[in-house]
């Protein structure tokens, strides 16, 4: 959909102007999306604040949580651009969690840009229009003769000019312009959008100032540490806390029963003490017995055996079926088969899960680094039996999310402890062992692929049977197999099916959920198919994509429009593939140690070329990466875009060569700290060359879509280098 269409018809729009304390003018801009348009409810509101201060600076409220994706700069940039103020005059403030006032507030899915591209610009344009209207009345000049620049209104004919602050009170009395009358800037005139802008928190982060949830300090605060079962889901049978309570500074030991997320409730103990160190040491002194209730039967070996048994039969559920795949495979000149797998992995955020809570006079106030604070508020309210109106959530800076903080178990634990200690602020911090144990893991999975080639080497059939994890036959978070998975969406004969295994391991979304595993498996297998047909993978992909066209995926019943599968533009896909080949100077022949990966996810098209070499110690290292991406017409903040893409490449390396794996034995997570879970370090990061392909489409997000093809490209590069196909992650020589 074009920007013009978004402006004209997709949103109802209202703006209220009011005088704030001290004479500053605050603009309260409310947008209500039309039924089913980028919203999960019939009438959700998006509210942004523009405050003009007496010194002609502008305070803009950033509504969404900041996890390093740059949204705290990006959203205010959109407003400031259309308001026509200098970025140096902008001050950014973090909003509290209040979806009745601010609309949807979350960090995930790379949707902040597509959801807010037009509304935030309209917010700035509306405020600017009211200020200009006020100046026109005061100066008895036609609005058409007035212009703005750097926070001033200018009348060129008379030479008059006035700062916005001088017009604030008069502007507050102006009628709100209809959205269809707004005149947004021509992109050619952007002075903020498209320019590199540093994050507003960067100076404080560099200076080591407290910004993150773990930094929260309140007068009289006490500290809490958790003790939970080694086997996830085990029930607390009995405990003896006498030794812990005897330690100086320990206040109490609390029993927590079946708290946390509803699909992963936890029994545990909370130790409250004057310092977190004391609380953490005291929990080790508790004698405790757990009832595993048969959960120890879950293990990697059992999962692999179950997958093998599933592959011997048909998938439990059909996901996609087109043409006659069985007949096409039976009549193929060549059939390629392979099995791929990948493990459970953890989010491993550098800032462990934490939350501070204060329960006082029947009300609860929370300070939380949450990616989805509204869901946390609802979960706490339901668990504790409080009205949502009695709970305030303060959004803190997040020291790493990657999807982990879309679950709010730490909020519930902190709130339950605080309710038991009214009037006393409680800060809960998971120690690293508990942080790994209580993660919501990226799902492991197993794929069985088949592909058929005709006598000319053209791919004519594709089949994938995914064995993954969930409950009741339904895949868990991030374990889904989409029906429009490439190349099933471009082939006449394709079958996709799924079998779901039960386990005691709770699942969660991890950066580029589902896509991060599917890209590795499908692009790895297609690399094998390309080799069997005498082609490179990019050549095979371009052949499969064919002529430029837009493929519409079938609607999923009961799913709001915003969450429906997006259209697939084969021209945009081909564009990034060709651009990646161009910047890598790669022709039509294979290059030893070079791999390719392509994927479309989160509305972004990305292709990656990776070169790998053998290090002196026999290990594999990535020597160079080239990235081509298409996220639409505009890169709002090039500085942050580059950071997001580079971070995606480094994350992708971690999936393949850094040993990211969470073994499961006897129902237990076999990782307790970073000594057993090695993240990529700066010394392994190669040169990364980036090229963005701009197309005439509204801009989309960047936090996730670049990573999936990086995983595939690096794995395929290792296959090319070693001659041994990488079919399982992480790579092991």
């Amino acid at each position: 959909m074009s920007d013009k269409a978004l402006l004209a018809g997709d949103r109802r729009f209202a703006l209220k102007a009011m005088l704030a304390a001290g004479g500053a003018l605050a603009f309260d801009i409310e947008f209500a999306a039309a039924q089913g348009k980028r919203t999960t409810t019939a009438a959700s509101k998006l509210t942004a604040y523009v405050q003009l201060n007496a010194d002609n600076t502008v305070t803009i409220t950033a509504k969404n949580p900041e996890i390093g994706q740059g949204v705290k700069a990006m959203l205010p940039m959109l407003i400031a651009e259309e308001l026509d103020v200098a970025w140096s005059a902008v001050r950014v403030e973090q909003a509290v969690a209040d979806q009745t006032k601010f609309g949807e507030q979350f960090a995930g899915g790379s949707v902040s840009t597509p959801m807010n591209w037009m509304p935030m610009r309209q917010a700035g344009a509306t405020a600017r229009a009211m200020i200009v209207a006020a100046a026109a009345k005061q100066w008895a000049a036609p609005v058409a003769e007035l212009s703005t620049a750097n926070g001033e209104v200018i009348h060129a004919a008379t030479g008059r000019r006035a700062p916005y602050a001088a017009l604030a009170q008069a502007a507050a009395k102006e009628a709100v312009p209809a959205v269809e009358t707004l005149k947004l800037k021509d992109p050619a005139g952007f002075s903020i959008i498209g320019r590199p802008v540093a994050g507003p928190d960067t100076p404080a982060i560099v200076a080591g100032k407290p910004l993150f949830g773990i930094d929260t300090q309140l007068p009289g605060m006490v500290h809490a540490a958790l003790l939970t079962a080694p086997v996830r889901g085990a029930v607390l049978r009995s405990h003896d806390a006498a030794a812990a309570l005897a330690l100086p500074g320990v206040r109490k030991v609390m029993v927590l029963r079946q708290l946390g997320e509803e699909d992963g409730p936890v029994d545990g103990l909370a130790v409250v003490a004057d310092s977190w160190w004391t609380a953490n040491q005291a929990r080790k002194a508790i004698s405790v017995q757990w009832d595993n209730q048969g959960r120890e039967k879950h293990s990697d070996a059992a999962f692999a055996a179950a997958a093998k048994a599933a592959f011997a039969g048909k998938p439990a559920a059909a996901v996609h079926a087109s043409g006659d795949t069985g007949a096409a495979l039976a009549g193929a000149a060549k059939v390629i088969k392979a099995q791929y797998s990948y493990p459970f992995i953890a989010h491993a955020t550098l800032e462990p899960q934490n939350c501070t809570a204060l329960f006082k006079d029947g009300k609860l106030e929370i300070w939380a680094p949450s990616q989805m604070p509204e869901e946390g508020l609802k979960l706490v309210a339901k668990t504790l039996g409080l009205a949502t109106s009695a709970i305030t959530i303060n959004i803190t800076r997040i020291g790493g999310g990657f999807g982990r903080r879309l679950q709010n178990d730490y909020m519930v634990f902190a709130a339950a402890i605080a309710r038991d200690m009214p009037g006393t602020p409680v800060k809960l911090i998971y120690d690293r062992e508990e942080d790994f144990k209580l993660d919501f893991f990226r799902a492991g999975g197993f794929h069985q692929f088949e592909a058929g080639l005709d006598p000319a080497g053209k791919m004519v059939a594709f089949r994938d049977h995914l064995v993954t994890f969930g409950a009741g036959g339904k895949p868990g978070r991030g374990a889904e197999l989409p029906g429009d998975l490439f190349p099933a969406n471009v082939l006449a004969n394709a079958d996709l099916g799924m079998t779901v295994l039960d386990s005691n391991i709770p699942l969660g979304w991890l950066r580029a959920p589902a896509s991060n595993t599917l890209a590795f498996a499908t692009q790895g297998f297609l690399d094998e198919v390309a080799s069997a047909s005498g082609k490179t993978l990019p050549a095979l992909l371009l052949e499969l994509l064919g002529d430029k066209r837009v493929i519409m995926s079938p609607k999923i019943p009961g799913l709001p429009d915003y969450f429906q599968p997006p259209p697939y533009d084969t021209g945009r896909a081909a564009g990034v593939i060709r651009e990646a080949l161009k910047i890598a100077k790669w022709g039509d022949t294979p290059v030893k140690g070079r791999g390719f990966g392509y994927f479309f996810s989160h509305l972004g098209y990305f292709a990656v070329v990776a070169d790998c070499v053998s290090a002196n110690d026999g290990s594999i290292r990535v020597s160079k990466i080239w990235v081509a991406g298409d996220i639409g017409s505009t890169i709002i903040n090039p500085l942050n875009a580059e950071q997001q893409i580079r971070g995606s490449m480094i994350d992708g390396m971690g999936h393949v060569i850094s040993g990211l794996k969470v073994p499961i034995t006897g129902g237990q997570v076999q990782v307790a700290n970073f000594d057993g879970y090695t993240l990529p370090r700066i010394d392994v990061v190669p040169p990364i060359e980036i090229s963005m392909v701009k197309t005439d489409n509204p801009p989309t997000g960047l936090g996730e879509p670049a990573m999936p093809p990086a995983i595939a490209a690096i794995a395929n590069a290792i296959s090319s280098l070693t001659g041994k196909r990488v079919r399982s992650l992480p790579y092991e020589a």
Side-chain angles (χ1 to χ4, degrees):
M1 181 175 291
S2 69
D3 287 356
K4 189 173 183 180
L6 279 171
L7 175 62
D10 264 5
R11 297 181 182 274
R12 300 197 305 276
F13 179 91
L15 182 145
K16 304 171 185 176
M18 66 210 78
L19 287 176
L25 176 63
F27 292 96
D28 184 355
I29 305 98
E30 297 182 354
F31 299 86
Q35 177 79 23
K37 297 291 185 181
R38 296 190 181 277
T39 180
T40 56
T41 60
S44 67
K45 292 183 178 180
L46 174 67
T47 309
Y49 290 98
V50 178
Q51 180 172 295
L52 301 180
N53 302 315
D55 61 357
N56 212 42
T57 60
V58 183
T59 300
I60 298 178
T61 301
K63 72 184 187 72
N64 282 0
E66 174 61 74
I67 56 174
Q69 83 280 38
V71 73
K72 196 171 180 179
M74 185 273 289
L75 294 182
M77 285 173 69
L78 300 179
I79 297 171
E81 181 68 74
E82 298 293 350
L83 184 58
D84 211 8
V85 296
W87 183 250
S88 59
V90 173
R91 307 291 179 265
V92 179
E93 290 185 353
Q94 178 66 58
V96 298
D98 187 348
Q99 291 202 165
T100 62
K101 183 177 183 181
F102 294 102
E104 291 174 301
Q105 293 176 279
F106 65 95
S110 296
V111 295
S112 290
T113 296
M115 287 182 69
N116 294 290
W117 167 246
M118 290 305 295
M120 294 295 96
R121 292 178 63 197
Q122 291 168 350
T126 300
R128 175 184 173 277
M130 294 178 70
I131 295 168
V132 169
K137 285 184 179 178
Q138 286 190 12
W139 298 344
V143 167
E145 293 183 5
L146 302 184
S147 62
T148 59
N150 293 325
E152 288 188 322
V153 181
I154 304 163
H155 188 212
T158 62
R160 298 189 69 173
R161 58 199 308 139
Y164 286 178
L167 298 162
Q169 294 190 30
K173 301 174 184 178
E174 288 297 317
V176 176
V179 65
E180 59 269 17
T181 68
L182 295 176
K183 295 181 179 179
L184 300 184
K185 284 187 177 182
D186 186 315
F190 285 164
S191 61
I192 297 174
I193 295 174
R195 305 292 190 271
V197 170
D201 290 342
T202 301
I205 292 172
V206 172
K209 294 183 178 179
L211 286 173
F212 300 91
I214 202 169
D215 297 322
T216 303
Q217 295 290 334
L218 297 174
M221 186 171 70
V222 295
H223 302 262
L226 291 181
L227 176 63
T228 64
V231 174
R232 184 64 182 260
V235 175
L236 177 64
R237 182 186 298 163
S238 64
H239 74 283
D240 183 351
L245 291 168
L247 295 175
V250 174
R251 301 243 184 146
K252 64 166 54 180
V253 175
M254 293 176 53
V255 175
L256 306 174
R257 289 283 187 187
Q258 295 296 285
L259 295 182
E261 292 286 348
E262 293 181 351
D263 66 337
V266 173
D267 272 14
L269 298 166
V271 180
V272 181
D274 293 337
S275 72
W276 184 80
W277 174 260
T278 299
N280 195 46
Q281 294 303 305
R283 73 186 187 92
K284 301 173 185 177
I286 300 173
S287 175
V288 60
Q289 290 78 43
W290 306 96
D291 183 355
N292 295 330
Q293 297 185 333
R295 291 179 172 86
E296 66 275 4
K297 67 182 180 181
H298 299 290
S299 68
D300 290 338
F303 299 150
K308 182 178 180 180
F311 287 152
K314 294 183 178 180
V319 175
H320 170 98
S322 57
D324 190 337
T325 306
L329 288 169
K334 183 181 290 187
V335 175
I336 301 93
K337 299 181 180 182
Q339 292 183 3
Y340 279 68
S341 65
Y342 38 83
F344 291 97
I345 64 174
H347 294 82
T349 61
L350 293 186
E351 178 193 22
Q353 312 320 304
N354 66 89
C355 183
T356 301
L358 171 62
F359 185 76
K360 186 177 181 180
D361 300 328
K363 294 185 177 181
L364 181 67
E365 187 167 8
I366 288 174
W367 291 259
S370 171
Q371 290 181 242
M372 198 172 284
E374 177 71 12
E375 293 305 309
L377 185 151
K378 293 176 182 176
L379 184 62
V380 169
K382 181 178 180 180
T383 303
L384 271 62
L386 296 173
T388 55
S389 59
I391 303 173
T392 299
I393 308 288
N394 299 288
I395 302 173
T396 68
R397 177 95 185 193
I398 302 172
F402 315 111
R404 170 60 179 95
R405 288 177 160 102
L406 293 168
Q407 272 63 64
N408 292 287
D409 46 306
Y410 45 88
M411 263 200 214
V412 177
F413 294 142
I417 298 167
R419 185 178 61 174
D420 202 54
M421 302 183 69
T424 302
V426 178
K427 182 196 286 188
L428 169 68
I429 302 175
Y430 291 11
D431 91 320
R432 191 61 68 184
E433 180 182 5
E434 292 292 343
D435 201 34
F436 273 107
K437 280 197 300 181
L438 296 178
D439 205 343
F440 289 76
F441 297 90
R442 195 286 305 275
F446 308 83
H447 289 262
Q448 181 164 269
F449 291 113
E450 289 184 84
L453 300 175
D454 69 10
K458 185 177 180 180
M459 188 171 174
V460 294
F462 175 72
R463 176 177 285 161
D464 180 15
H465 180 181
L466 168 63
V467 176
T468 187
F469 297 88
K474 295 183 179 180
R477 302 183 188 94
E480 302 87 357
L481 181 65
D484 58 353
L485 177 69
F486 182 85
N489 60 337
V490 297
L491 280 172
N493 304 296
D495 284 348
L496 302 176
M498 173 185 289
T499 299
V500 177
L501 307 178
D502 290 334
S503 84
N504 68 319
I505 307 302
L507 304 183
W509 299 286
L510 185 139
R511 190 176 194 175
S515 301
N516 60 61
T517 55
L518 296 174
F520 157 68
T522 59
Q523 291 286 296
F525 177 64
L526 289 176
D527 197 34
E528 295 193 55
V529 175
S531 179
S533 64
K535 306 180 182 76
T536 63
L537 175 57
L540 174 66
L541 299 179
L542 291 171
E543 182 178 86
L544 287 168
L545 290 167
D547 296 333
K548 177 178 171 57
R549 64 200 188 281
V550 176
I551 301 171
M552 303 302 295
S553 297
K555 293 283 187 179
I556 300 176
L559 203 61
D561 282 359
Y562 180 71
F563 294 104
Q564 293 291 347
Y568 186 84
D569 190 323
T570 62
R572 296 178 73 182
V576 297
I577 291 172
R578 292 192 175 101
E579 181 65 15
L581 295 176
K582 177 183 175 182
I583 61 176
K585 297 181 174 61
W586 190 9
D588 297 329
T589 57
V591 177
K592 185 176 181 180
R594 176 163 291 183
F596 187 85
Y598 155 78
F599 212 71
F600 168 65
S601 68
H602 298 88
L603 305 180
Y605 297 80
F606 275 86
V608 176
V609 177
D611 279 359
C612 285
V613 297
S614 296
N616 292 332
D617 61 0
S619 64
I620 302 293
R621 70 176 180 86
V622 182
S623 57
K624 182 74 183 279
I625 293 176
W626 295 266
V627 190
D630 176 358
I631 59 165
S633 62
T634 307
I635 309 298
I636 297 172
N637 187 350
L639 176 62
N640 189 66
E642 180 181 339
Q643 292 168 346
Q644 290 301 302
I645 294 171
R646 290 183 183 278
S648 291
M649 298 304 104
I650 296 168
D651 264 1
M653 291 172 58
H655 284 236
V656 184
I657 63 174
S658 290
L660 298 190
K661 181 178 183 180
V662 176
I664 308 298
T665 302
Q668 297 185 30
V669 172
Q670 301 297 306
V671 173
N673 214 317
F674 287 119
D675 59 341
Y677 197 81
T678 308
L679 298 172
R681 304 295 181 92
I682 193 170
D683 61 331
V684 304
V685 178
I688 299 170
E689 185 176 334
I690 301 167
S691 179
M692 299 304 291
V693 179
K694 293 187 178 180
T695 55
D696 188 20
N697 296 279
T700 56
L702 251 179
E704 293 163 293
M707 188 179 77
I711 301 170
I714 294 166
N716 288 339
I718 295 173
S719 296
S720 171
L721 178 68
T722 64
K724 179 182 177 182
R725 177 58 57 178
V726 178
R727 295 195 181 107
S728 181
L729 293 182
Y731 167 72
E732 296 177 357

